[in-house]
Amino acid sequence: MSNTVALNNESHRNLKVMTKRGAAFGEATHLVPVVANELRNLVLEYPVCITKDPKNGQFSLCALLGFEPGENLYLQGDNWDAQYVPMHIRRQPFMVGYRNPEAEPGEDKGAVITLDMDSPRVNSDGSSADGERLFDDEGSNTPFMNEVSDLLGQLMGGMESTTAFLKFLADNDLIEPAHINVQFASGEQKRYEGLYTVNDEKLQQLEADKLVYMHQHGYLQAAYWLSASMGQVRKLIQRKNQL
């Protein structure tokens, strides 16, 4: 359970947040949510796949970090062996909340930055030297807090565009099961279900007007990146074999 509160520059004036990497901060995970505007960077490092919520059928984007729950093959101690760390990892323990989440479309929901006070990243009394301050002595944002705010803005905008992108793929029957079959150096073979990717054949056969629409909205390039990223599964197998 998290203890999420709205951030303010009075009660959290002396609070610090640790920016270290590591399993102690919840980074030992085999799947991490990502957004479409990260794909340009993600595909150089990770397999990126589509997942489906069995409860509501909603599709999401995730980077595959390992083959078993709790396995992050990019995490080596307190270091990520990657040039790019997904935004969902970097934004923790912050998120965006709303004062009025039930607002009608077009109405202001009252977005606020929230903080999970139970996160191991939070140094709530500021007594330790560990961590970055969020506010200075006058209550103004520190450069670190400005970076957090910018990151959350990118993430929230990315979530909206990702939802629209995946809806277009689903509505046009462009999503298919990924069927990941792997064999490790030990000889063990495994088949991983529940992951999806873009159907390249159907994408190539899409009507011209829909291809133009995809290009205009950045969906076409995103679809190609998503499909190509599955080639990174081979590198993920190599990482597994090196353990």
Side-chain angles (χ1 to χ4, degrees):
M1 294 293 291
S2 62
N3 176 20
T4 303
V5 299
L7 194 65
N8 72 73
N9 62 356
E10 290 297 331
S11 57
H12 303 128
R13 179 75 57 90
N14 297 318
L15 184 144
K16 293 181 179 180
V17 167
M18 288 181 279
T19 58
K20 299 175 183 177
R21 309 260 70 95
F25 302 111
E27 296 181 358
T29 179
H30 74 303
L31 279 174
V32 61
V34 298
V35 291
N37 55 335
E38 293 184 274
L39 282 171
R40 180 189 298 273
N41 295 308
L42 290 168
V43 298
L44 301 177
E45 308 269 5
Y46 313 96
V48 182
C49 51
I50 301 169
T51 59
K52 186 177 183 180
D53 188 325
K55 296 179 180 179
N56 58 24
Q58 184 174 350
F59 289 109
S60 301
L61 282 184
C62 285
L64 185 64
L65 309 181
F67 295 105
E68 308 291 344
E71 178 181 70
N72 182 347
L73 296 171
Y74 296 87
L75 187 62
Q76 299 179 355
D78 60 357
N79 178 60
W80 274 66
D81 185 22
Q83 295 296 314
Y84 182 83
V85 177
M87 285 197 287
H88 177 75
I89 295 293
R90 289 185 282 129
R91 63 91 183 163
Q92 297 179 20
F94 301 95
M95 195 51 192
V96 173
Y98 299 97
R99 294 192 181 94
N100 185 22
E102 304 301 324
E104 296 294 329
E107 292 183 356
D108 184 10
K109 291 184 177 181
V112 293
I113 296 178
T114 64
L115 177 69
D116 179 8
M117 295 298 294
D118 287 345
S119 168
R121 292 191 175 280
V122 175
N123 175 3
S124 57
D125 61 10
S127 59
S128 168
D130 288 343
E132 298 282 348
R133 285 191 66 176
L134 311 184
F135 306 104
D136 61 23
D137 292 338
E138 285 71 44
S140 299
N141 284 3
T142 61
F144 170 73
M145 192 62 227
N146 286 332
E147 291 177 7
V148 168
S149 181
D150 181 63
L151 177 64
L152 290 174
Q154 294 180 51
L155 187 58
M156 295 308 294
M159 290 170 65
E160 293 179 5
S161 60
T162 299
T163 297
F165 167 58
L166 293 175
K167 184 179 186 304
F168 181 91
L169 294 183
D171 288 348
N172 290 276
D173 196 27
L174 295 174
I175 297 177
E176 67 174 2
H179 296 313
I180 299 177
N181 301 294
V182 301
Q183 179 171 342
F184 302 115
S186 63
E188 180 185 13
Q189 297 184 18
K190 283 198 173 185
R191 180 183 178 92
Y192 294 89
E193 304 286 356
L195 302 178
Y196 301 82
T197 190
V198 174
N199 186 314
D200 290 332
E201 183 176 346
K202 289 185 178 180
L203 179 60
Q204 293 173 6
Q205 296 173 355
L206 205 61
E207 296 91 334
D209 60 330
K210 290 185 177 180
L211 286 172
V212 170
Y213 179 89
M214 289 186 73
H215 175 70
Q216 291 175 338
H217 288 77
Y219 296 169
L220 191 59
Q221 190 172 46
Y224 285 134
W225 278 334
L226 188 56
S227 179
S229 77
M230 295 307 293
Q232 298 288 7
V233 170
R234 291 190 294 271
K235 291 185 178 180
L236 204 59
I237 295 172
Q238 291 176 351
R239 288 177 179 272
K240 178 78 169 179
N241 288 337
Q242 290 169 0
L243 294 179

